[in-house]
Every structure is written in structure tokens, then in C-alpha cells.
Amino acid sequence: MELHDLTITQTKKALLDREISAVELTKLYIERIKSLDEKFNSFVTTTFDKALELAREADNKITQGMNLPLLGMPLAIKDNFCTQEIRTTASSFVLEDFIPTYNSTVAQKLFDAGIVLLGKTNMDAWAHGSSTETSDFGSTKNPWDLTRLPGGSSGGSAAAVASDEVLAAIGSETAGSVRGPASWCGIVGLKPTYGRVSRFGVVAMGSSLDSPGPMTKTVEDAALLLEVLAGKDPKDATTSDHPVKKYSQGLKDKKMMTIGISDEYFENAEKEIGEKVNEAIKLLEKLGHKIKKIKLFNPKYAIDVYTILMRSEVSSNLARYDGIRYGFGRDRFGEEAKRRIMLGTYTLSSGYYDAYYKKAQKVRTLIIEDFKNAFKEVDVIIGPTLPSVAPKIGSTANNPMFGEMADILVEPSSIAGLCGINMPVGFDSQSLPVGMQIIGNQFAEETILNLAYQYEKETQFWREKPKIK
Amino acid sequence: MKNKYIPVIGLEVHVELKTKSKMFCGCDASYFGEEPNSHTCPVCLGLPGALPVPNKKAIEWCLKIGMALNCKIPLVSKFDRKNYFYPDLAKGYQISQYDQPFAENGWIELTLKDEKKKKVRIRRVHMEEDTGKLLHETINGEKVSLIDFNRSGVPLVEIVTEPDFESAEEVKAYLKKLQQIIRYLEVSDADMEKGQMRLEPNISLREFRIQNSEFRIDENLPSYKVEVKNINSFNFVEDAIEFEIKRQSKILDEGKLPTQETRGWNEDRKESVSQRSKEDAMDYRYFPEPDIPPIKWKQEQVDNLKSQMPELPDVKIERYVKDYGVTYYNAEIIAREKKLAEFFEKTIEVCEELKNKKENSLDYKTITNWIINKKIDPEKILPAEFVTEILKATKVEGIDEAELESILKKIIDGNEKVVNDYKSGKENAIMFLVGQAMRELKGKVKADEVKEKLQDLLK
């Protein structure tokens, strides 16, 4: 077994037992990125000097007997999280030279927890997309098949984790941007409840939806990261003071659950995907969990709601990028951003607001109610994460609604602000990863992590690695 | 025929709150005379990822303003984004309130000439943030526009009336009263010159006819209105309204309808100039601010805030008249400024204590007269000192007016040259006469009273 195959828990043990130093570990990862990333294009910016500096600090701390939750852990952060003195572009040329003066709360918490930052990962520009193809820095490639998309918008983070360029990475999800690429890249991706993790310092996309979350090899790693990231932030008024649990410790006792299954979610997915997810459900049933058929709204309604609400917010959120105080001018916005600004401006305009934005808000309330009722009967809901496996690069070119269609199965829970996790459930006939999502009620991260962990123990799909050519 | 029209005027007033920090970040909210862009942070500069966190104190103060204006306080309120582009608007939108303001449906009672009362309805009181400031300068021969973001995000309260004013006089009375209430609440200094209070009247004219010797006023509001901006003093607002009434009357006399538009007041030329017509009216694309959850109050919280409200001038005036027998005229003068009113009330307390101890004390009328006539500065004297002073002064009034006058006249007669000097403009010469008189009076009368009396006699 190689070092880069290890999880956070295992890597940390190796560091604390002085089997390896943080600097040595960091150098290993740097070498790996240097030799591999030409293939994947996972990174917009690498921060190797900073990483070595942080690794030296970590070694000093270890020598002094200090311990921090993520001490010396080589991680990457999606490029829409502001990082002080480290370029933050959101993969848009508008911010090509933007160097923040401050850290996002997520970055700050990770630095405080002792991470070694290897770099900022590629994404769809402004997180607008589900492929990374809208990145102004070029698309990221899927490590399982370099001719395929990694998914998005957190595609760089997903590819970096899947190819072991980093130990773990941070992504952000508006609707599908963590779970989606995790599914296509065969890793764990946790989208926390809206308001569980601070959005402060995250380049805003859909402010009422954006949720930062961990993208990891294992469930335990996701739990460890969530412990660090979660919590009320005085700088983000939408964060909740709901108590933060010891998620990693909550994994061990096997909780028995009632799992809800809604046919609508399978009807919207390709057959082979549905079969893989059903195998997983059968396994969970065998473990003693109760499976219950429920009826949720057809997820297709969520597409309209999501498209209107998110684009409305986008049109307002991107207004600050006027090139007056920082960054470049608006001529640098790509096609996708311009389309979203135009549509969002339209749906908020007087005379159209009631027909679009207001109606979408009403349907949003119905979707929230729908899930609320479902969670009276079940502990979690399981379905396919995405309707298909990773498509070929170039698929999005003439399909402006590509993302919305691809994310159909993750949009309803995002709109309702619920938590969800993508779990690899094996591979299709082309050897491409398939993912299922476990959706939990608001602030039920402990529950979905617990079930995900039980499943992972049985299957260990995370040990399967792409054969990188 | 003259006076064929009745003005219909509504007012929007912006008041800048004097909270320590800005509306949505921790930056120091004071900006007057500060180094440009020294009070800024990612939030008020609109940097990527920065989020607004509302200032609780500012919201409470906004509610207090609403309460002072007899508004209803809805238990649920929210912020909205008002989207528009301007270089001084860091985020490309202003956080404001659209359809659920913190306070609505209130009223204020104005006292006009001859103590005539008029109630003006308050439509709403809402909270928003100020913008940065543009400075147009020439640097090294190049014309440049600079932006100072110190003011960006400073809390603003907007107070909107119904179109209930019919004259510039009423508008002025309202503004004065509003300023007084704001100052009583100690939430802003409401200094117009410093931009802490800004106003935008909207003005239109409604026709009326005399039919069967009865006034017939058109029931409906006019189909247009003209908003006037850039007014930064009470006097300008009068000028601007008078100008608009004349301008619009002329258009209406010609059988035309004035254009619905926004005009700017040009103080130098004393006229308003068209800025933006209805066709160019902005679509602000308001929508609920997703970064700030709706604000929900418990009734107890609202009641608690209400209980913290200071006594307002109207109540004070009524109480002074009723409890202390002060005339309305005098009570109004004393209640004009909170500090003086408090000084008056403390002075009364001191006197009550003296009475209780059966010591020499003063009646309310004397206190009132002294405060008003001596133009007392409550910053410079304590109530107890003030009472002692009056007691001393009133006690030595043992010498009657006639006697005082005869002594002074004798001195005037005996100092012809000094008197002539004084009358020819050497004002200081009078001090010689005062000196002479003081010697005669042996301190029974105070020097400044002697001086006043001498001045009277020498007129």
C-alpha cells in the first residue's frame, strides 16, 4: 500500500507515530501532482511553497507534542473559497489576478485545524455548470477515463481526490456540485444542510442554496472534515446554531433505519444506474434496515424552480464584478455566466417577478413540505445521485441546460436545504463509477454518515483506484 | 384665477443612524473627515464572498423611530436587494426593504401657525444602507473620479409619508418635528449639512373649482408626480417646493400635464432641472435578500423596546402645560431640545427638594422665565447651581425699580462726557457707568442687570 492510498485517519496516525514527516508527505503529494496534473487539470493554482511552509509548521507542532484535527493533512480547496494571499479565481478570467485579503471561514477553519494546502482546484467558472467545461482554465478530465467529464462544478476537487493527488478536498454545492462530481469520480461527497457550514468568503452563486462540503475517499474522512467545518459563523447570518456533533465518533454504532425509496428518482435515471443503486439498497436491507416505498414529487419540477431561483440570485451576485475595485471587466464573463445573468435579470424584472421568481418560491415551499412529510415516515431517502455515468468531454457544448438535466436528482434536496451524501456503489459495464445518494433531513448529517459508513464497511469501493495511463 | 391648484406633497426622508458600527459589518460607521477608504472591510467593499450581518442596534433604532411616529410594528420583516449599477454601490445592489418594512402605517401631528394642528400619515419606516461617495478631482492634470467607501454600509432609515402636505410651510414643520424626534431618540444628529438627514419631496398639483359657491377638490390624486432630489437644507426645500408649484401651475394653466420625472434642485440658479423621466425609471428588480434570514420579533421584544422609549416632545409640552402651568409657547421652547428639557426637569426636582426641606425655593414660572430669558446652556451650568443663582439674584431685588432708576439717572447726569462717548459709538464707555452704579448699589443688583438697565435708559 502506498502513502497516497491512505485515508485521513491513517495518514494522521503515520504522522503522529513519526513514520513519516509532514514535509516528506507533502513532497510526495507535490511530486504526484507534478507528474499527474497535466493529465487531469485538477488545479487552477498550486501552492507548493505555501504547502511546504505549512508542512514545516506541522512538523514543529508534532515535535512539540501538539495535536490538531487535520494537522499536516495535504488538502486542496475549490477555487471559489477566498484564501488570503492566494489567488482565488472561481475559474473565471474576470478574477484571473484576484488575490483575496482575507480567508473564507472554511479556509480559516482548515488552516486553524492544521492542513497543508496543496492548491486551489478547478471548477466550472463561477460554479456555473456540472462538468468543469465552463472553466476559463480548461476542463478537468475524469481520472477513470480521460476522455470523460469529471462532473462539476467541484470537478477539480473530485478528480484530485479520485486520483490521489490530494488526501481530501473541499467542494461546494448549490445543487449537485459536490455529490455530482463525487458520483462520476467514484468518491464520497457530502453536501451538508444549508446553513451547517459557513458561506463567508465563498464566491456566491445561489446564495439561498450554496453549501460547502468535504469530498473524500471515505465516510470517516468526510465526518472528520465536517467536524472541523460545521458550526455557527458570526460572519454568516444564515448559519445555524444547531449543535455540531462529533460526526466521526457517531459512525461506529450501527443505527438501524427506515430507508425511503421513491420510484420517481429511478424513473429519471438510466437503467444500469438504477440497478446498481438497487443492489446497494438490497445490501442495506440485508444489514437489517427497513425499506419503505414513498412518493415524492417528480424531481423534474425541481429543475424549473432551481433554474429560476438560482439564476435570479446569480444575476444579483455577479453584479459586484464590475472591474472597478478588483478583477477585470465584464467583457471577461463567459457565455454561461452571461446567459445566467440575462435569464436571472429577466425573472426578477417587474412584470415577470410574480410569474417566475415568486411562483418558484411557492413551489420551493411545496418541495420543502413534501420532504418534511416524507421524513415523518423514513430516516433517510436513497436514490441514484446522477441519472448517468460520466459523459464524454464536449457533451455540454450545445446544451445550455446540461447541468440542470444532469442534476435532476440532487436538485430537490438542494432546494429543500437538506443534507446528502454520494456513495460509490460500484461500476457500470464500461467500468465507470456509479453513485447513490443518501438524503437526510435538515441537520441529520450524523444519520446519513452513519448509514453511509455501514455501507462502506461492507463494500469498500473506495479501495478501487482508477488505472491512470 | 389665482390658486386654482392645491399642492399634493409627499416626503421621503433618509436619516443616517449614529451607531458605532456599520449596518452589515463591524467597520466604524463614522466617516466625516476621515481618511478615505480607511473604514472599510470585505463586506462594505463588496469583495467576493463577503456576507452581510445585520446590526441589531440599528434595527432597534429603526423600530424606535417607527414607534415614535405611531407606526405599527409587524412581527415579521425582511431585507430585500435593490439592484442597480452605480460606481459607489459596491455590491451592485443596495440592501434595503421592499414589501415588509420594520414599521408602517403611522402618523405625526404637526403644529402649524396659530397652534393649528394637522395630522400627516406615515406610510412606512424602513432600514437600508448608505453608498460610498464619488469625488471628481483633477490629479496631475488628469480628470479622475475617486470612490471613498467609508460611507458604504452606514445605516440609513428611510421615512416615507403619505402625500398629505399641501404647502411648503407644512413640509417645513414636519421636517423640524421629525428632526426633533430623531434627536430625542438619540439615534442620529440629523444634521442636514453633514448629510445625516436628506429629503426628497414629490410634488404634484390637484385642481379645484368653485361650484355653486362650494369648493370642489378632485378626489383623486394627480396622475403624475415630480420627485425633487439634491435638497440639503430646510430652506432649500421651501424654495424647491415653491418653484415646483409655480412651474407646474404654469404647465397646467396651458392645459398640459407636467411630466412624471425626477428633477434635481440647483441651489445657485434656484430652480429644478430634469434628471430622469418616467420612461427611464429604473427597474430595481427587488427580491428577498438571501443572505439575511427574515427578522421575526416576539411581542415581548417589541413591548420591551417600547418601554425604553424616551418621553417625546409632544408629551413633555402637554405635561409642562398641565402639571407646571407653563404656557404652551414657553413649554414648546423648553421642549425643543432634549437637553434643555431635561435641565428644566432637574431644576424642578431641585426646587421640590428645597420645598420639602422647607427652604427657600422657586416657582415653575420663575424657573421657566429664567431658562428662556437667560438662554441657559445646560452644558455649562448644573441645575443646583442654577437654582442658587436665581435665589441669590431674586433675593437682592430688595431695591425697587424706581429707586434703581433714580440712582442710575443720577449717575448718567453726572457723567456727561462718558454718556456722549457711549452714544457716539464707544460701547465700552458704558462699563464706567456700570462701575459707578455698582459702587452705589453695594452689590444689591447684579452687574449685567445694571448694564441692561443703563442701556435702556440711554436709548
Side-chain angles (χ1 to χ4, degrees), chain A residues 102 201 316-317 320 325-326 350, chain B residues 45-49 81 83 90 283:
Chain A
Y102 72 108
S316 175
N317 284 337
R320 67 183 60 190
R325 285 144 298 135
Y326 51 84
S350 77
Chain B
L45 286 175
L47 295 189
R81 287 191 187 174
N83 295 285
D283 180 354

Side-chain angles (χ1 to χ4, degrees), chain B residues 333 340 343 366-378 380-381 386 389-390 393-394 397 445-450 452:
Chain B
I333 295 174
L340 192 65
F343 180 84
T366 313
I367 298 169
T368 313
N369 288 340
W370 272 72
I371 286 181
I372 292 171
N373 295 338
K374 298 277 167 177
K375 294 196 177 72
I376 288 301
D377 181 351
K380 287 189 179 142
I381 188 165
F386 176 62
E389 203 174 279
I390 310 179
T394 43
E397 270 174 8
V445 182
K446 291 184 101 188
D448 47 357
E449 277 173 49
V450 172
E452 257 174 53

